[in-house]
Amino acid sequence: MCGIVGYIGKNKIKEVLLEGLGELEYRGYDSAGIAILQEDNFSIFKAVGKLENLRNKTKDFHPEGFSIGIGHTRWATHGKPTELNAHPHVGENSYVVHNGIIENYQELKQRLQAEGFNFLSQTDTEVIVHLFESHLKALKEPLKAFRATLDELEGAYAVLLITKSAPDTIFFAKHGSPMLIGIGGDEKHFASSDTPLIGLCTDVIYLHDGENGYLSADAVELFNESYEKIDPVLKPLPSSKLSAQKDGFRFFMEKEIYEQSQVITDTLMGRLGEAEINFEELDSELFVGINEIKLCACGTSYHSALAASYLFERYSKIRCSVEIASEFRYKQPLMTQDTLFVVISQSGETADTLETLKMAKKAGLKSLVICNVDNSSMVREADASILTRAGIEKGVASTKAFATQMVVFWMLSLYLAKQRASMTSVEIAEHISLLREVPSTVVVKDELHEKLRRLSKRYLHGHGFFFIGRDVFYPLALEGALKLKEISYLHAEGYPSGEMKHGPIALADPELFTIALMPTNLLYEKTKSNVEELSARDSTICAISAREFDKADDFIQIQERSHYMHEFFEMMVVLQILSLEISVRLGNDVDMPRNLAKSVTVE
Ligand code: M6R
């Protein structure tokens, strides 16, 4: 969580920092701030709320010439979203920005307060800058003081620090939170992801955990955890930012829903053979000796994992279990080496998921990540990776990442089915034909979008929503409910259809909205009976199906299809647009819903 940027150079530093923060605003937008050091003068600006407020505050500030600066967009962990808690945090002569959590900040704070340091904020971050200045007094040299500071920090961090005692230098350290360095001519940049650097830099250095050092106008000095000098590895940065724009849509989420057909085509590209799936990135050795797949993820990625577990058992005939990463971390799980540990993540940075991957590796398990961001922490950590190729996803509510994860899982279940001979070549070939049709199932038709827009006005109140489904439509129901609650702030739950009568049906009345997923190719009659039970108890029913259903108060018709997975993808789009339109009617910020952030890099 939180986004950080840094800059050293002679060009428009204010604009560079603010534009960089704009690209990272999806990581948190409770408050933002920048600190710029020119010769011996600091200029500091902070504002609560969206970045626009910071832009307004800095509109009459026009620094020129060589300068160094750092910036931060915050997702609050310690302390409310106030200006005092906004970064950069100040010491006597230094400023710091930080992404992550300093776990031992309370004890450090007490010690520093006893030494006479005055704390202005409630944050954990502020200890870093006072600790640095405390060490600087004793050690006299800023690099030594910075290292002594790092030696005392426990937790996760990506840190940038600037100080009058080294006025052309930015000190940095990465330990568990993402950060990279960008080089563009004689300008140097820092950012939490590569997006802000596109167009500004030709090359980047992806920092690894434990790495630290400093940048100045003419030096990039990089050290490992033991402060031994290491050579930076430069990687070329793509030059197009086009895919990150809104393309005329009202919201990134909307654009991303409409992009699904294209990105799924990209996901499939080069991977579909006649009767086999090709994952060039996988070594077939990965599955040797494997008797179980354990899938682990958070949020939407957890829902795709849950849906995948049905496919792995059904098609690949392999035992499959699914874990919520934040639970798995602390349950002292049993990990046996015949298990392939698979993490799923759009960002590749989610702290809980990343930590489970490290645990599995430590326990000697083989690991695979299904991820949307190349070079992310998880991709670098896992033994193998499959990229989902969804492109940059900016809406906080995940859409196209989920769609491409599902396509990867469907392909992977067939890849394994071939290896394990659990399906015939003819059966696999049939599925491959079905996979080729997936892009057409998610094309958004104008009439459908218009119908959902009109329907949305009937679902702005009530005491709750139940999204229900069976089999893979149960995880899809969970995902539909998550989409709705994230951006509408209405209470919604996903439930297995057959489980409603074991408790939740007690809630049924006209103000309880049931969104029923009723595929015709999978357990239709069973699901229908469950929906009828709710209808008989007067719940308002919104049914999504290819088959007319006379007990529905509202009916959203999808196309008649030959396979349930095609119904799955079409219903997925219906749920995404329904949530979007309800959120729009309620006047919410669709792309940046309250209290959320795109990338959750704290546990
Ligand atoms: O980047 P990840 O896939 O690891 O993120 C996991 C969740 O934080 C994420 O899916 C979250 O639930 C989304 N806001 C859902 O729309």
Side-chain angles (χ1 to χ4, degrees), residues 298-301 344-348 350 396-398 482-483 486 600:
C298 301
T300 288
S301 297
I344 305 92
S345 175
Q346 188 287 129
S347 61
T350 302
V396 163
S398 185
L482 178 64
K483 286 291 83 80
E486 275 185 296
V600 186

Side-chain angles (χ1 to χ4, degrees), residues 361-595:
K361 282 194 72 179
K362 209 166 162 196
L365 271 61
K366 290 190 200 172
S367 61
L368 168 69
V369 58
I370 292 171
C371 190
N372 195 35
V373 181
D374 196 5
N375 276 312
S376 58
S377 302
M378 284 183 222
V379 169
R380 283 181 275 126
E381 188 76 31
D383 295 329
S385 56
I386 299 178
L387 293 178
T388 46
R389 304 180 183 162
I392 297 169
E393 189 182 63
K394 287 202 147 192
V396 163
S398 185
T399 51
K400 60 178 182 168
F402 176 76
T404 52
Q405 286 168 354
M406 284 309 305
V407 170
V408 165
F409 275 131
W410 190 359
M411 287 193 286
L412 191 59
S413 69
L414 303 178
Y415 175 94
L416 264 179
K418 168 135 182 137
Q419 271 202 8
R420 300 169 62 83
S422 56
M423 282 169 88
T424 64
S425 294
V426 174
E427 286 168 331
I428 294 177
E430 278 167 12
H431 273 260
I432 288 174
S433 304
L434 292 166
L435 273 162
R436 289 188 202 283
E437 288 171 41
V438 175
S440 67
T441 65
V442 296
V443 172
V444 185
K445 298 198 186 69
D446 288 349
E447 316 82 74
L448 174 73
H449 196 148
E450 179 52 21
K451 172 160 187 158
L452 292 168
R453 197 188 62 75
R454 278 186 287 111
L455 205 63
S456 60
K457 62 178 174 291
R458 316 238 296 246
Y459 292 94
L460 307 176
H461 58 96
H463 60 72
F465 286 75
F466 270 89
F467 288 67
I468 60 168
R470 281 175 176 262
D471 201 278
V472 291
F473 293 86
Y474 160 51
L476 184 60
L478 288 172
E479 175 58 10
L482 178 64
K483 286 291 83 80
L484 184 69
K485 67 187 140 199
E486 275 185 296
I487 58 174
S488 71
Y489 319 144
L490 296 169
H491 180 79
E493 279 188 62
Y495 234 76
S497 311
E499 190 65 13
M500 290 298 284
K501 62 172 96 55
H502 297 288
I505 204 165
L507 294 166
D509 69 15
E511 291 296 291
L512 180 81
F513 300 134
T514 301
I515 312 289
L517 308 184
M518 304 175 69
T520 53
N521 291 291
L522 194 75
L523 302 169
Y524 180 80
E525 292 302 330
K526 302 271 174 218
T527 309
K528 186 168 162 245
S529 308
N530 302 141
V531 181
E532 279 167 350
E533 286 154 12
L534 279 150
S535 164
R537 281 145 189 98
D538 252 354
S539 169
T540 297
I541 309 286
C542 174
I544 308 174
S545 183
R547 196 171 300 165
E548 295 269 3
F549 176 56
D550 58 5
K551 301 282 184 333
D553 298 283
D554 284 313
F555 181 63
I556 301 164
Q557 186 146 33
I558 62 162
Q559 243 178 274
E560 197 74 57
R561 307 253 178 209
S562 62
H563 196 271
Y564 70 90
M565 284 304 287
H566 284 175
E567 297 184 285
F568 179 98
F569 282 104
E570 197 177 339
M571 286 188 196
M572 172 196 79
V573 174
V574 170
L575 298 178
Q576 293 166 341
I577 296 180
L578 186 63
S579 300
L580 173 91
E581 291 301 337
I582 291 175
S583 171
V584 173
R585 281 197 192 268
L586 291 169
N588 298 340
D589 187 335
V590 170
D591 284 330
M592 292 186 191
R594 69 184 186 203
N595 303 336

Side-chain angles (χ1 to χ4, degrees), residues 1-2 26-27 99 156 174 176-180 192-194 206-207 209 298 343-355 357-358 369-381 598-603:
M1 215 72 68
C2 305
Y26 68 92
R27 298 175 65 90
N99 171 24
K174 176 195 179 323
S177 300
M179 184 158 64
L180 47 126
S192 301
S193 80
D194 53 13
Y206 292 95
L207 296 174
D209 281 349
C298 301
V343 285
I344 305 92
S345 175
Q346 188 287 129
S347 61
E349 302 294 348
T350 302
D352 283 319
T353 312
L354 178 60
E355 219 38 56
L357 174 59
K358 290 180 182 164
V369 58
I370 292 171
C371 190
N372 195 35
V373 181
D374 196 5
N375 276 312
S376 58
S377 302
M378 284 183 222
V379 169
R380 283 181 275 126
E381 188 76 31
K598 182 68 185 162
S599 180
V600 186
T601 53
V602 291
E603 77 167 302

Side-chain angles (χ1 to χ4, degrees), residues 179-183 203-207 220 222 232-235:
M179 184 158 64
L180 47 126
I181 297 172
I183 312 287
D203 298 285
V204 286
I205 302 163
Y206 292 95
L207 296 174
V220 178
L222 188 61
V233 180
L234 288 172
K235 292 202 171 175

